[in-house]
């Protein structure tokens, strides 16, 4: 069962909202209930996006996407290299 996917902008606004509640003295349990997320999600968001601005979060996600693409390209190139090496050695 999958829940709603939040965009980085939404996550940052929810974290800022949580900071306001916590500054008012509201407990963490009450804050996550008001935000409508689980405790695990809240702490994961705080670890990932804590202290980031919206533009920084967008840049982070773009870089993560680019990194994943480059890793796939490298894996494909290494596979091609291994196939060519095996074919050149005559072990086919």
């Amino acid at each position: 069962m999958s829940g709603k996917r939040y965009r980085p902008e939404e996550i940052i606004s929810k974290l800022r909202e949580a900071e306001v509640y916590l500054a008012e003295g509201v407990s963490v349990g009450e804050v996550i209930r008001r935000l409508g997320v689980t405790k695990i999600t809240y702490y994961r968001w705080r670890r990932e996006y804590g202290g980031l601005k919206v533009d920084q979060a967008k840049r982070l996600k773009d870089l993560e996407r680019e990194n994943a693409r480059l890793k796939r390209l490298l894996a494909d190139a290494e596979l091609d290299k291994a196939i060519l090496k095996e074919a050149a050695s005559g072990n086919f």
Side-chain angles (χ1 to χ4, degrees):
M1 182 173 130
S2 65
K4 181 178 187 228
R5 293 273 184 179
Y6 291 97
R7 295 188 327 257
E9 306 86 45
E10 295 171 324
I11 293 171
I12 291 172
S13 70
K14 284 192 176 281
L15 286 175
R16 292 201 181 167
E17 187 180 335
E19 289 174 9
V20 170
Y21 288 142
L22 290 171
E24 292 173 352
V26 178
S27 70
V28 174
E30 179 65 22
V31 168
I32 62 174
R33 190 188 63 73
R34 288 181 185 180
L35 296 177
V37 297
T38 65
K39 196 176 213 178
I40 294 169
T41 300
Y42 170 72
Y43 285 114
R44 183 171 28 91
W45 284 355
R46 209 173 76 177
R47 185 184 68 233
E48 243 181 273
Y49 296 101
L52 289 182
K53 294 183 175 135
V54 175
D55 59 333
Q56 292 172 325
K58 285 181 183 178
R59 179 78 176 131
L60 174 67
K61 286 298 175 186
D62 290 341
L63 289 173
E64 286 174 347
R65 244 183 270 115
E66 177 71 10
N67 193 27
R69 186 183 72 80
L70 291 172
K71 282 182 180 181
R72 281 192 307 272
L73 287 173
L74 178 63
D76 290 343
E78 289 295 321
L79 182 61
D80 290 345
K81 189 171 104 177
I83 290 170
L84 290 172
K85 188 175 185 179
E86 187 175 321
S89 67
N91 294 334
F92 52 90

